[in-house]
Amino acid sequence: MTASFLRTLTGKTLLRLALAGGLLLFGAAVFNATLLYRQSQTDALQRLAAAVAERARVAERVLGYTVETHETVRLAFAERWPAYQDDATTRRLDTILQRYPDGVWRNRPELADGSVHPTGWVPAATPLTTELKRLLVLFWDLSTRYGPGAAIRRDNLFFMGVPEQSNVGYDPYLFPNWVFDIPPDFDQRNYEWGRLAYAPARPGTRSRYATPLVDDIGPGPGLGPIFQVLTPVHVGERHIATVATTLRFKDFLARTMPLGAGPSRYLVFKPDGRLLADTREADPSAPSANQAVLDSLGGDLPGALLASTRQGTGAPVAGQSPGSDLYYATARIDGPDWYVAATLPGAAVRADAWRVALWGSAVYLGVLLALLALLAAILRRQVAGPLGELTQAAERVAGGDMAVRLPSGRDDELGRLALAFNDMAGKIAERDATLRQDKQEIEAALTSLRLTEERWRAMTDNASDFVAVVDAAGALRYVSPPIERMLGRPPEHWVGRSVRELVLEADAKALVRQIEQPDGSAIQCRAAHADGRERVLEAIASDLRGHPAVGGIVLNIRDVSEAVGAERQLRQAQKLEAIGTLAGGIAHDFNNILAAILGYGEMALKDAAEGGAQRRHIESALGAGLRAKSLVERILAFSRSGVGERVPVHVQSVVAEALDGVSATLPRDLCLHRELRAGDAAVLGDPTQVHQVVLNLCANAVQAMKGAGALTVVLDVVHTDAETPATTRLLPAGSYVRLRVEDSGSGIDAALAERIFDPFFTTKEVGVGTGLGLSLVHGIVTELGGGIDVESRVGAGSRFTVYLPWHGAAARPVAADEPVAPGNGETVLLVDDEEALVRLGEEQLAELGYEAVGFASSAAALEAFRAAPDRFQALLTDEAMPGMTGSELVAEVRRLRPGLPIVLMSGYVTPALAARAREAGVAEVLNKPLVARDIARGLAAALQRGRPGCERAECDGS
């Protein structure tokens, strides 16, 4: 081939075919060589297996001669034994054996030549019974008959009685003179052949074989190792004797093993690892003489030989011992259960295998090269040319030339290929146009799908709600990212978990029920945020298990904690508003009644004698009236929606004052512990309300302890760096004045803890609690911007901790108890819609040194004032009156006489009322019901401010 042709596609194709063919030839040659090599190894192993099988069969035939002799003797014994059951047989023994001085029976001296006569022996301790005597005589006769035949093969033949030990036989080679060579204590059972001879045997038991060894009772080690073949003899079912033959192991090997012939090495061994013979030794029987073992051969050959004996197939076993680099084969010798093994060096086997493989590969390679050359020539002419044209046409089609066609005149495969190419080119042109249009449509659809997915992702990732998909097992399969903002843990934390873990255990059943029966309705469940806060979630379940893209229940969950909290606050505010409306409606009438009771009571008390029963009764009535007044004040304080003017309050002094009052009323078995460490810390609020918080918390604690226990009040200042959760709200970071009131009472049940701040809710018996104390505390603390934390355990007491925002420091207030100045006959215009209170007020003012002009109608009072405005030095009026309220009356009076001192009274003083009154020019606003001292203080202060030259700023402190 020229260089230009090789650069063409056809030339390259032919070159590749040549290279591929060369590689194929090389691979085929290697494969063929490998097969030949392995076949040669297999043949070597098969030859080795055949050789050991032949050696085993030869050994079995050699041993078979002895077994055949034994079988002949055994049959002769059984045939003759009945004829030996007479006294003549018994007497014959005396002509054969003689007792020697050591007590052992042996041949007579004239019969002791073992090369001519059988020899015999009986131990001294064995009694010569009649049966034993008859056995010994039969043994003598059988030895005489069959022994010379055994002697010809340089073997022997002897008998042993069973079970008594005895020995009679023909032994010309091993024991030619058996008179004084047996020790008196000789015991055949000390030897393997003896144990085999006397071992129990049933009729039909095969011959037994002893292990070859050097016998220590024979003529010495010159014989080398010997072994015994022993065959049981029976009379009926009775094992009565054993016929045996001793063989020289060296003679046995000479008859069975090819000693020193060829590269093979033969071994004879037992399955227990005992090595009996090795043809590589100068004396092949030396291993038996030395009692050698297979492990003495070294390497892994012993293990491989022993493993072959355990296969139990009965056929020869062949294999390779890599560690010893030997090929081996083993075969079993039937009868003694010995194994003959043959080994070949691995180097010799491999050398023969390589020689066969190389010759075979060379022939195979030559043939394949010739065939490949012929094939290349045919391919170049018949295939390469047409394929080149086809390739060029395909390149033109690939380049976009859809009009190219091939000549189709050939009537063969290449011609049909050209026709198929032309048809394919036409279809490709049609399909190309279709694919271009489909591509445009697919690209547009993918763009739309990508935009839809991105839009969906953007909406779900940035929505305030999160979406979850739950599978049939109740596991979360998908969770959208907003869950991390809602519950503090990322979506991957939730995927794979049970949907029950989304909410608190108490609400899990409701959520699972909603999932099992999705009806589109919303349920609320509580969940735990990662920071420990409790959140309220609203879940709506939709069944999309049949939707192929979803295949589950879709949960849409939103956080409604703020809405629920706002709703709870709204309900609380509505309750407070309703109560405030109720309190405002009844306060006026109730306070008017109390005003009459207290006023007339004070007047009656002045006329009652000291120490009398009447005075005690009046004092009791006044005490009840004052308690009723306090109750009304608490109701009104609870119902107010705001506080009065907020000023810095020195908290510690207010708390100390309140605790002094609490301490005076405590039962004897209840102790008060106070720890006031707030110093001059202040809060922005009203001292009265702080006082109310302390009193109500202490009163609640005292009632919980039922007369005995410990009340602990701690006041200090704390600072928090992060938001602090409390029972009533989440407190922002900052500084707080902290009031802790702790009791050792009965505690609060968890089921009631959520209702303790509800108005009128109480667990106390009738007459002990009103249910307003904690509601009042909650309202005041909330108005002051603080919070309350409640800790309680049934039977272990409760702890209420109030947090009020710290507002710097405040000066400690100085108590002042100035005397009230009496009136100097000033005329006071008194207005109240209650006739009884007008009369009571006139009497009280008269006793205080004033001249009172009373009216039960605000309109009548205004007419009197218009008639003589300068007659009155002060106005004391009620607020809530029909027709014209007190505030309206004040406005009219101020227009007639702007500087008149005015005191306004009301049974329901709100911050709005107080502010509105001061703007209208009212000097003092008093809470009804009033006692005489309240009226005196209020009028004195109003008259003092109304004096000429007294400015407001100068009179505030007087």
Side-chain angles (χ1 to χ4, degrees):
M1 296 182 185
T2 63
S4 59
F5 176 74
L6 289 177
R7 284 195 294 270
T8 65
L9 180 60
T10 303
K12 292 178 180 179
T13 301
L14 288 176
L15 181 60
R16 292 189 186 100
L17 286 174
L19 292 175
L23 291 175
L24 179 63
L25 288 175
F26 178 75
V30 171
F31 179 72
N32 182 61
T34 302
L35 290 180
L36 292 173
Y37 179 82
R38 291 182 178 177
Q39 185 60 44
S40 179
Q41 288 180 315
T42 303
D43 292 344
L45 286 175
Q46 290 176 348
R47 290 193 297 271
L48 206 58
V52 296
E54 176 62 23
R55 294 303 98 200
R57 301 293 81 78
V58 171
E60 291 171 359
R61 286 195 296 272
V62 170
L63 294 175
Y65 298 147
T66 302
V67 173
E68 289 174 4
T69 301
H70 286 192
E71 184 64 20
T72 301
V73 173
R74 185 182 66 78
L75 293 174
F77 182 94
E79 180 181 352
R80 293 187 182 190
W81 174 248
Y84 281 70
Q85 305 301 311
D86 56 11
D87 294 338
T89 301
T90 304
R91 288 191 298 271
R92 281 184 59 200
L93 182 65
D94 294 334
T95 63
I96 300 173
L97 299 180
Q98 176 180 337
R99 183 180 293 276
Y100 282 73
D102 58 6
V104 178
W105 290 85
R106 297 191 182 90
N107 284 44
R108 291 177 174 277
E110 64 273 16
L111 303 176
D113 185 358
S115 60
V116 179
H117 305 287
T119 59
W121 163 85
V122 180
T126 302
L128 281 175
T129 63
T130 300
E131 182 178 71
L132 181 58
K133 291 179 181 180
R134 293 170 180 172
L135 277 174
L136 294 175
V137 172
L138 182 54
F139 289 167
W140 178 276
D141 293 345
L142 292 174
S143 296
T144 303
R145 169 70 178 81
Y146 295 100
I152 292 174
R153 294 192 299 273
R154 300 169 63 93
D155 301 331
N156 67 355
L157 182 69
F158 61 95
F159 296 85
M160 291 174 283
V162 177
E164 296 86 355
Q165 291 196 37
S166 58
N167 192 315
V168 174
Y170 191 76
D171 204 349
Y173 186 71
L174 299 176
F175 302 104
N177 189 340
W178 202 358
V179 178
F180 301 106
D181 56 333
I182 301 301
D185 59 349
F186 177 71
D187 188 347
Q188 292 173 321
R189 289 186 178 88
N190 290 336
Y191 299 88
E192 182 187 13
W193 55 267
R195 290 189 293 273
L196 293 174
Y198 294 105
R202 296 181 59 82
T205 301
R206 299 179 63 185
S207 299
R208 299 164 175 171
Y209 298 83
T211 302
L213 51 77
V214 177
D215 198 325
D216 59 355
I217 64 169
L223 294 176
I226 59 176
F227 68 97
Q228 291 77 23
V229 181
L230 305 104
T231 304
V233 177
H234 291 79
V235 174
E237 294 292 326
R238 183 184 174 193
H239 180 199
I240 195 171
T242 296
V243 58
T245 298
T246 298
L247 302 175
R248 291 182 67 199
F249 191 48
K250 186 182 299 185
D251 295 341
F252 170 77
L253 294 176
R255 300 173 190 173
T256 59
M257 298 296 144
L259 304 179
S264 299
R265 174 188 186 183
Y266 288 90
L267 304 170
V268 180
F269 64 94
K270 294 182 68 176
D272 62 0
R274 177 78 176 274
L275 180 62
L276 303 180
D278 184 354
T279 60
R280 284 291 176 88
E281 299 284 346
D283 180 2
S285 65
S288 292
N290 299 328
Q291 298 187 4
V293 294
L294 278 175
D295 287 342
S296 63
L297 299 177
D300 57 354
L301 180 63
L305 295 180
L306 291 177
S308 69
T309 66
R310 292 191 288 270
Q311 295 191 13
T313 61
V317 177
Q320 185 179 6
S321 171
S324 303
D325 193 21
L326 294 171
Y327 289 78
Y328 68 88
T330 62
R332 180 173 176 269
I333 302 175
D334 189 31
D337 195 24
W338 299 343
Y339 284 82
V340 58
T343 64
L344 280 175
V349 174
R350 288 190 294 274
D352 291 343
W354 274 117
R355 188 165 47 255
V356 173
L358 290 177
W359 277 106
S361 297
V363 174
Y364 181 77
L365 189 60
V367 174
L368 286 181
L369 284 174
L371 292 175
L372 184 61
L374 179 62
L375 178 63
I378 296 173
L379 286 177
R380 181 180 181 184
R381 181 173 181 178
Q382 298 294 328
V383 179
L387 284 179
E389 295 177 0
L390 179 62
T391 302
Q392 292 175 1
E395 289 175 349
R396 291 174 61 186
V397 171
D401 183 4
M402 301 301 172
V404 65
R405 297 293 184 270
L406 289 175
S408 56
R410 296 180 54 163
D411 188 18
D412 56 11
E413 288 81 358
L414 289 175
R416 290 193 292 274
L417 182 61
L419 290 174
F421 176 83
N422 295 337
D423 183 59
M424 178 190 68
K427 291 180 179 179
I428 288 176
E430 297 175 0
R431 183 62 58 87
D432 181 66
T434 303
L435 288 177
R436 291 178 185 276
Q437 182 178 357
D438 292 345
K439 178 182 177 183
Q440 294 176 354
E441 294 176 356
I442 291 173
E443 288 178 349
L446 289 175
T447 301
S448 176
L449 180 61
R450 185 174 61 256
L451 291 175
T452 301
E453 182 178 359
E454 291 176 355
R455 183 165 55 251
W456 181 83
R457 286 281 184 187
M459 289 189 297
T460 57
D461 291 358
N462 296 282
S464 57
D465 303 353
F466 76 86
V467 177
V469 179
V470 184
D471 61 18
L476 293 167
R477 203 175 65 203
Y478 168 78
V479 180
S480 63
I483 194 174
E484 183 171 6
R485 182 173 63 254
M486 197 175 297
L487 296 180
R489 292 185 175 90
E492 53 269 20
H493 170 81
W494 300 100
V495 173
R497 294 176 177 265
S498 171
V499 70
R500 299 174 64 95
E501 299 184 33
L502 273 177
V503 299
L504 299 183
E505 184 61 29
D507 296 344
K509 289 184 179 179
L511 181 60
V512 172
R513 186 163 54 251
Q514 178 76 353
I515 293 173
E516 292 175 348
Q517 300 175 354
D519 56 4
S521 61
I523 63 166
Q524 288 187 357
C525 303
R526 294 167 297 167
H529 193 277
D531 61 8
R533 291 180 295 159
E534 183 177 296
R535 311 299 296 171
V536 180
L537 306 180
E538 183 179 80
I540 299 176
S542 301
D543 189 357
L544 295 181
R545 286 174 290 191
H547 196 289
V550 180
I553 301 296
V554 176
L555 288 176
N556 188 282
I557 299 177
R558 67 176 53 186
D559 189 345
V560 295
S561 302
E562 286 73 15
V564 170
E567 182 180 356
R568 187 181 297 117
Q569 292 176 1
L570 176 60
R571 288 198 301 269
Q572 183 72 7
Q574 289 172 342
K575 290 179 183 179
L576 295 178
E577 182 180 357
I579 294 171
T581 303
L582 174 64
I586 67 172
H588 179 266
D589 294 336
F590 194 38
N591 278 330
N592 286 341
I593 297 171
L594 285 178
I597 294 172
L598 294 175
Y600 284 112
E602 282 185 333
M603 295 177 65
L605 185 63
K606 292 178 181 179
D607 297 333
E610 291 288 343
Q614 182 181 7
R615 188 175 186 90
R616 290 197 304 274
H617 296 162
I618 295 173
E619 288 176 344
S620 298
L622 287 174
L626 290 174
R627 287 196 298 275
K629 176 185 178 182
S630 176
L631 176 59
V632 173
E633 288 177 351
R634 291 172 64 187
I635 295 175
L636 293 177
F638 167 75
S639 66
R640 294 188 184 104
S641 60
V643 296
E645 183 181 358
R646 292 191 177 185
V647 296
V649 179
H650 191 279
V651 182
Q652 186 158 313
S653 62
V654 176
V655 174
E657 179 184 350
L659 293 180
D660 290 341
V662 171
S663 178
T665 61
L666 290 179
R668 184 176 61 182
D669 294 333
L670 199 152
C671 57
L672 171 64
H673 301 285
R674 64 176 82 188
E675 298 178 24
L676 307 183
R677 303 189 297 268
D680 293 331
V683 298
L684 194 62
D686 185 343
T688 303
Q689 291 193 322
V690 176
H691 193 274
Q692 285 284 341
V693 169
V694 178
L695 287 181
N696 280 284
L697 288 178
C698 290
N700 191 70
V702 170
Q703 291 171 359
M705 291 185 285
K706 298 181 180 180
L711 172 63
T712 302
V713 180
V714 179
L715 182 70
D716 56 8
V717 178
V718 296
H719 180 78
T720 61
D721 295 326
E723 291 183 333
T724 303
T727 303
T728 61
R729 62 171 294 194
L730 185 65
L731 297 172
S735 297
Y736 293 89
V737 177
R738 181 175 62 182
L739 172 67
R740 188 169 72 242
V741 179
E742 185 173 353
D743 64 70
S744 57
S746 57
I748 303 172
D749 190 279
L752 304 176
E754 293 185 356
R755 302 183 58 195
I756 60 175
F757 294 114
D758 288 353
F760 299 114
F761 175 76
T762 180
T763 59
K764 304 178 180 67
E765 58 270 19
V766 177
V768 176
T770 64
L772 292 175
L774 291 180
S775 299
L776 176 61
V777 171
H778 178 258
I780 293 174
V781 172
T782 302
E783 288 294 339
L784 297 180
I788 307 173
D789 189 49
V790 182
E791 302 173 63
S792 183
R793 191 172 59 186
V794 175
S798 302
R799 175 189 294 172
F800 286 79
T801 305
V802 176
Y803 295 88
L804 298 176
W806 177 79
H807 192 70
R812 186 180 299 271
V814 180
D817 189 13
E818 298 179 359
V820 179
N824 291 319
E826 292 93 340
T827 302
V828 177
L829 178 60
L830 174 63
V831 186
D832 198 310
D833 60 334
E834 290 285 340
E835 189 70 39
L837 293 182
V838 173
R839 292 194 301 270
L840 173 62
E842 289 177 339
E843 292 184 22
Q844 288 178 327
L845 289 172
E847 289 186 0
L848 292 174
Y850 297 98
E851 180 184 348
V853 179
F855 290 91
S857 168
S858 54
L862 180 58
E863 288 300 323
F865 187 80
R866 284 175 178 168
D870 296 330
R871 176 186 175 187
F872 303 101
Q873 280 75 49
L875 171 62
L876 178 60
T877 179
D878 189 17
E879 167 64 16
M881 294 183 294
M884 182 184 295
T885 65
S887 298
E888 294 171 346
L889 177 60
V890 169
E892 293 296 330
V893 169
R894 293 289 287 180
R895 279 197 295 271
L896 297 174
R897 186 177 169 185
L900 181 70
I902 301 173
V903 177
L904 181 66
M905 303 178 295
S906 177
Y908 183 36
V909 177
T910 65
L913 175 61
R916 190 169 62 249
R918 287 192 171 87
E919 290 177 359
V922 175
E924 292 291 331
V925 180
L926 303 181
N927 268 306
K928 295 173 68 177
L930 302 173
V931 295
R933 187 175 183 83
D934 295 335
I935 298 173
R937 284 183 181 274
L939 281 174
L943 290 170
Q944 181 69 24
R945 293 192 184 96
R947 291 173 187 169
C950 180
E951 298 297 332
R952 171 91 181 193
E954 296 173 354
C955 298
D956 281 346
S958 59

